[in-house]
Amino acid sequence: MLFRSEVKEKIPPKPLTALEHLERCGYRIVQQVVPKKLPPIAVQRMAWKTGEALCDPVVVDFLQFIRTHMQSDGSFSFRIPKGTSKNSFATLSEIAQTWDKMGLFASIVIYPQNIVYELAQNETVRHFLSGKWLELFVEHQVQQILNRYQEEQGAEVSLCSNVILSEAASAGSTHELDVAFSINGKFFWVEAKSSSRSIDYGKYAALCEKLKVTSDRLLLVNSDLSVEECEGVSYFWNYRVANCATITGELENMVAKQIETAGKAVPSTD
């Protein structure tokens, strides 16, 4: 009588999380922002709303104007650009009123031709307008994609933000990643910049090598750049570049390309 030998089914290893990938690259996680340390949900929503509003160039101009005068006290007048559409003016007014409602202005008056405001004398306010809003917006955009892959495909996902890394081989060398995430073990990295001045684009390309990721798994989000300027930066540096108007599409394309490639690499069992 022949007996069929029992063959134990091999359980595939669980995909690496983003933090596990970084540790495999020889880094020690010095610090990261955990959910309980995020700002209140009202502040997070204001950041998301700010990012969505920055799809409009007039709102981009307004925020740049505020940042330019942020270190100066007193009242300032932002002139509404000629030819601004009613929709753009409505978007600008809405975001300005939202910021005012949350206490970012000491005073503000919105006229048809200009906005006269005085920024609140508060370091937390300045920190938010200097770039914290963008970090929160980018993290939210990434989380939306992770939620979709998890719900629709049952993907293994992970996300970490404001991660400070220390190189094991060099105690004095540290790096900060704004948002790192993984889908089914594929590692991705997003950097957020709210200014187009004095950016060392080369360090991101170099860090891709240290993080053992191809450059098309890095997305640099710069809220100051136009679509054309994003394409220009990407020409010189071989990684993805987006602004607030194009971040969703770039994120989706970046992830879809890598996940699709990984799927095709799996040999058929037929």
Side-chain angles (χ1 to χ4, degrees):
M1 183 179 293
L2 297 175
F3 295 92
R4 183 179 298 174
S5 60
E6 293 184 3
V7 178
K8 291 185 179 180
E9 183 180 351
K10 290 185 177 180
I11 300 175
K14 194 171 183 179
L16 293 178
T17 65
L19 288 180
E20 288 171 342
H21 173 90
L22 293 170
E23 289 169 348
R24 285 278 186 94
C25 292
Y27 288 100
R28 182 170 59 88
I29 313 303
V30 177
Q31 177 184 317
Q32 66 164 311
V33 172
V34 294
K36 65 180 181 180
K37 290 187 178 180
L38 286 170
I41 190 62
V43 175
Q44 293 183 57
R45 286 175 178 155
M46 179 170 64
W48 307 341
K49 194 170 185 178
T50 298
E52 292 166 356
L54 264 86
C55 290
D56 193 307
V58 177
V59 183
V60 174
D61 289 346
F62 182 49
L63 184 54
Q64 288 177 336
F65 182 87
I66 288 177
R67 289 207 312 266
T68 299
H69 300 87
M70 195 175 295
Q71 301 306 320
S72 303
D73 298 334
S75 180
F76 297 92
S77 177
F78 171 74
R79 183 171 293 279
I80 309 296
K82 290 183 178 180
T84 297
S85 68
K86 290 182 179 180
N87 288 339
S88 290
F89 183 77
T91 300
L92 177 61
S93 298
E94 183 180 1
I95 198 65
Q97 290 169 19
T98 299
W99 292 346
D100 184 40
K101 188 176 181 179
M102 295 295 288
L104 275 62
F105 295 112
S107 64
I108 184 170
V109 182
I110 301 174
Y111 298 105
Q113 290 80 28
N114 63 329
I115 296 178
V116 180
Y117 72 88
E118 183 177 346
L119 197 64
Q121 298 302 303
N122 181 304
E123 285 305 312
T124 305
V125 168
R126 295 176 190 274
H127 179 61
F128 180 85
L129 290 175
S130 293
K132 182 63 177 178
W133 68 269
L134 183 59
E135 293 178 9
L136 294 171
F137 174 66
V138 167
E139 183 174 347
H140 177 64
Q141 293 293 309
V142 171
Q143 188 65 65
Q144 297 295 98
I145 288 181
L146 294 183
N147 290 344
R148 192 173 76 244
Y149 271 86
Q150 191 172 41
E151 292 168 4
E152 296 178 0
Q153 301 183 20
E156 293 278 352
V157 304
S158 69
L159 180 148
C160 47
S161 61
N162 294 114
V163 183
I164 297 179
L165 307 173
S166 175
E167 292 186 27
S170 177
S173 181
T174 60
H175 307 287
E176 182 176 357
L177 308 183
D178 288 335
V179 179
F181 66 100
S182 69
I183 300 179
N184 290 337
K186 279 282 187 179
F187 178 86
F188 301 90
W189 166 37
V190 185
E191 277 298 305
K193 294 294 176 185
S194 57
S195 173
S196 57
R197 299 171 185 169
S198 301
I199 296 177
D200 182 2
Y201 290 105
K203 75 176 182 180
Y204 300 123
L207 193 50
C208 277
E209 296 183 12
K210 292 186 176 183
L211 297 178
K212 298 180 181 178
V213 294
T214 53
S215 58
D216 57 356
R217 278 193 268 165
L218 161 63
L219 174 62
L220 173 68
V221 181
N222 191 314
S223 60
D224 270 10
L225 298 180
S226 66
V227 173
E228 292 78 11
E229 288 168 337
C230 287
E231 293 172 350
V233 174
S234 188
Y235 172 81
F236 289 107
W237 300 100
N238 192 28
Y239 45 74
R240 296 171 182 269
V241 184
N243 59 21
C244 290
T246 59
I247 177 177
T248 302
E250 286 291 344
L251 269 173
E252 290 178 345
N253 290 338
M254 177 173 72
V255 171
K257 179 181 178 182
Q258 294 296 325
I259 300 302
E260 181 181 330
T261 302
K264 288 180 179 179
V266 176
S268 174
T269 56
D270 293 340

